[in-house]
């Protein structure tokens, strides 16, 4: 007998639209310049050059596991090892420079992982000249292949160096393996959304309407409390379910609601009791 998975109650479209003003107010209150100071997005704001911004941001997003203060300290450590010149460092990197990563560790990241990520980014820059052009290529391929952008990005990223150890691949998510791809969609939120006091908006290869919600445990928990997410697992299907609802509220910029849901969970903005649909959420 197959055990039926638990699903949470969700709200109707009518009730969802009534929730819009509450979520919009949270976005306005949380998406403020002060947010940058405690978030890994700060490493994009730390640079003037577009290439430095995007490469530093990619490392920051890729390493965004766990407490933000620890993540920020580890990204700072890594950029310091690059002399705070990520674009120049990556362009000129060689195997003989691998010693600069000795002793580096963050969660499951080890020197070998940073080494291969750096070599791959170097190959991308040599072939495409900029990181955005590589993303643009992946987006075009995704349309042709009718696949998710992040899945194509994963494939193309690791095509450049087939000899990359298997352990390095886990640091770049693949939604075709049902990953939520939270860190990569957070990165895309940073680089794609324009006119934001937080997101730098340095790339234009897709529109904000194509973004998905960066789903982590905090966002998912609050979404379930509000009846926005029925699925128990924090996986790719949950990302699609939640993003579909957020597109009802703002089809042009659904990812902005990441601020509202994240803010409730981490910044303790709170949900009024009358809006809580699922009282007990794991």
């Amino acid at each position: 007998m197959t055990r039926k998975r638990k699903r949470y109650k969700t709200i109707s479209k009518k009730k969802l639209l009534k929730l819009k003003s509450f979520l919009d107010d949270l976005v306005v209150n949380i998406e403020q310049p002060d947010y940058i100071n405690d978030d890994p997005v700060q490493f994009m704001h730390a640079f003037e050059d577009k290439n430095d911004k995007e490469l530093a941001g990619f490392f920051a997003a890729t390493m965004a596991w766990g407490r933000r203060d620890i993540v920020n300290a580890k990204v700072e450590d890594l950029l310091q090892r690059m002399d705070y010149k990520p674009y120049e460092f990556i362009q000129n990197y060689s195997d003989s420079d691998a010693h600069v990563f000795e002793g580096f560790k963050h969660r499951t990241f080890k020197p070998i992982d940073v080494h291969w990520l750096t070599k791959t980014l170097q190959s991308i820059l040599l072939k495409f000249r900029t990181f955005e052009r590589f993303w643009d290529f992946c987006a075009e391929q995704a349309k042709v292949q009718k696949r998710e952008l992040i899945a194509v990005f994963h494939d193309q990223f690791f095509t450049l160096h087939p000899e990359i150890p298997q352990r390095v691949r886990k640091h770049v998510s693949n939604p075709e393996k049902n990953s939520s791809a939270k860190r990569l969609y957070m990165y895309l939120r940073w680089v794609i959304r324009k006119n934001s006091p937080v997101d730098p908006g340095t790339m234009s290869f897709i529109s904000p309407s194509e973004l998905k919600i960066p789903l982590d445990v905090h966002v998912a928990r609050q979404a379930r409390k509000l009846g926005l997410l029925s699925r128990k697992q924090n996986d790719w299907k949950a990302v699609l379910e939640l993003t579909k609802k957020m597109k009802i509220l703002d089809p042009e910029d659904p990812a902005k609601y990441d601020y509202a849901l994240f803010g409730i969970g981490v910044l303790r903005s709170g949900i009024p009791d009358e809006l809580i649909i699922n009282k007990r959420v794991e």
Side-chain angles (χ1 to χ4, degrees), residues 12-104:
S12 65
K13 182 177 180 180
K14 182 178 180 181
K15 289 184 177 179
L16 172 62
L17 292 173
K18 288 183 178 179
L19 192 62
K20 178 175 169 59
S21 60
F22 169 70
L23 293 176
D24 284 346
D25 286 345
L26 279 173
V27 172
V28 170
N29 291 330
I30 293 167
E31 190 184 8
Q32 293 289 335
D34 287 349
Y35 183 98
I36 296 168
N37 299 331
D38 298 318
D39 193 80
V41 73
Q42 67 182 268
F43 296 104
M44 289 197 70
H45 289 275
F47 297 95
E48 294 294 329
D49 180 73
K50 170 182 164 68
N51 294 303
D52 281 329
K53 285 176 180 285
E54 292 167 0
L55 294 167
F58 181 72
F59 276 112
T62 303
M63 291 168 56
W65 288 3
R67 283 171 40 187
R68 292 194 296 168
D69 59 335
I70 295 175
V71 171
N72 292 340
K74 293 296 184 178
V75 177
E76 179 76 24
D77 178 9
L78 180 61
L79 291 174
Q80 185 178 31
R81 292 167 187 258
M82 296 180 177
D83 294 324
Y84 297 105
K85 298 176 181 178
Y87 180 55
E88 180 180 319
F89 179 88
I90 291 167
Q91 279 192 312
N92 298 319
Y93 186 73
S94 67
D95 289 350
S96 63
D97 297 319
H99 66 90
V100 302
F101 300 134
E102 288 178 6
F104 182 83

Side-chain angles (χ1 to χ4, degrees), residues 18-269:
K18 288 183 178 179
L19 192 62
K20 178 175 169 59
S21 60
F22 169 70
L23 293 176
D24 284 346
D25 286 345
L26 279 173
V27 172
V28 170
N29 291 330
I30 293 167
E31 190 184 8
Q32 293 289 335
D34 287 349
Y35 183 98
I36 296 168
N37 299 331
D38 298 318
D39 193 80
V41 73
Q42 67 182 268
F43 296 104
M44 289 197 70
H45 289 275
F47 297 95
E48 294 294 329
D49 180 73
K50 170 182 164 68
N51 294 303
D52 281 329
K53 285 176 180 285
E54 292 167 0
L55 294 167
F58 181 72
F59 276 112
T62 303
M63 291 168 56
W65 288 3
R67 283 171 40 187
R68 292 194 296 168
D69 59 335
I70 295 175
V71 171
N72 292 340
K74 293 296 184 178
V75 177
E76 179 76 24
D77 178 9
L78 180 61
L79 291 174
Q80 185 178 31
R81 292 167 187 258
M82 296 180 177
D83 294 324
Y84 297 105
K85 298 176 181 178
Y87 180 55
E88 180 180 319
F89 179 88
I90 291 167
Q91 279 192 312
N92 298 319
Y93 186 73
S94 67
D95 289 350
S96 63
D97 297 319
H99 66 90
V100 302
F101 300 134
E102 288 178 6
F104 182 83
K105 189 178 188 303
H106 173 56
R107 306 291 287 239
T108 61
F109 278 88
K110 293 184 178 180
I112 188 174
D113 302 307
V114 184
H115 166 72
W116 280 106
L117 290 175
T118 302
K119 281 180 68 72
T120 301
L121 288 170
Q122 182 185 62
S123 296
I124 286 171
L125 295 177
L126 286 171
K127 184 174 181 179
F128 294 91
R129 294 180 59 193
T130 70
F131 200 27
E132 179 172 10
R133 289 184 181 180
F134 176 67
W135 276 100
D136 187 39
F137 170 77
C138 292
E140 290 300 318
Q141 289 299 306
K143 291 176 184 176
V144 171
Q145 299 173 27
K146 297 182 179 179
R147 296 170 64 201
E148 176 56 41
L149 166 61
I150 299 298
V152 175
F153 177 86
H154 179 278
D155 286 356
Q156 293 297 327
F157 192 88
F158 292 111
T159 295
L160 295 163
H161 285 282
E163 74 276 21
I164 288 180
Q166 190 63 34
R167 61 160 290 119
V168 183
R169 295 174 179 266
K170 65 187 176 186
H171 296 301
V172 179
S173 303
N174 184 354
E176 290 181 345
K177 294 186 177 180
N178 211 21
S179 166
S180 69
K182 174 255 178 180
R183 289 170 292 156
L184 284 174
Y185 264 110
M186 182 176 69
Y187 179 70
L188 289 181
R189 194 201 79 207
W190 292 350
V191 300
I192 294 298
R193 291 187 71 242
K194 306 292 190 293
N195 305 314
S196 166
V198 177
D199 298 323
T202 60
M203 298 185 185
S204 302
F205 66 93
I206 60 172
S207 72
S209 65
E210 297 175 76
L211 293 174
K212 306 290 194 302
I213 294 288
L215 187 75
D216 64 11
V217 293
H218 306 291
V219 168
R221 186 178 295 118
Q222 305 313 318
R224 293 184 183 104
K225 285 182 181 179
L226 288 165
L228 303 174
L229 183 59
S230 66
R231 191 166 177 80
K232 183 179 180 181
Q233 297 76 25
N234 297 335
D235 57 12
W236 182 242
K237 292 178 182 178
V239 172
L240 295 178
E241 180 186 353
L242 181 57
T243 300
K244 184 177 180 180
K245 284 192 173 65
M246 297 302 92
K247 284 181 76 72
I248 292 172
L249 300 183
D250 190 339
E252 299 304 317
D253 189 15
K256 74 180 184 184
Y257 293 108
D258 180 40
Y259 287 106
L261 297 171
F262 179 82
I264 295 169
V266 175
L267 306 182
R268 305 185 188 285
S269 300

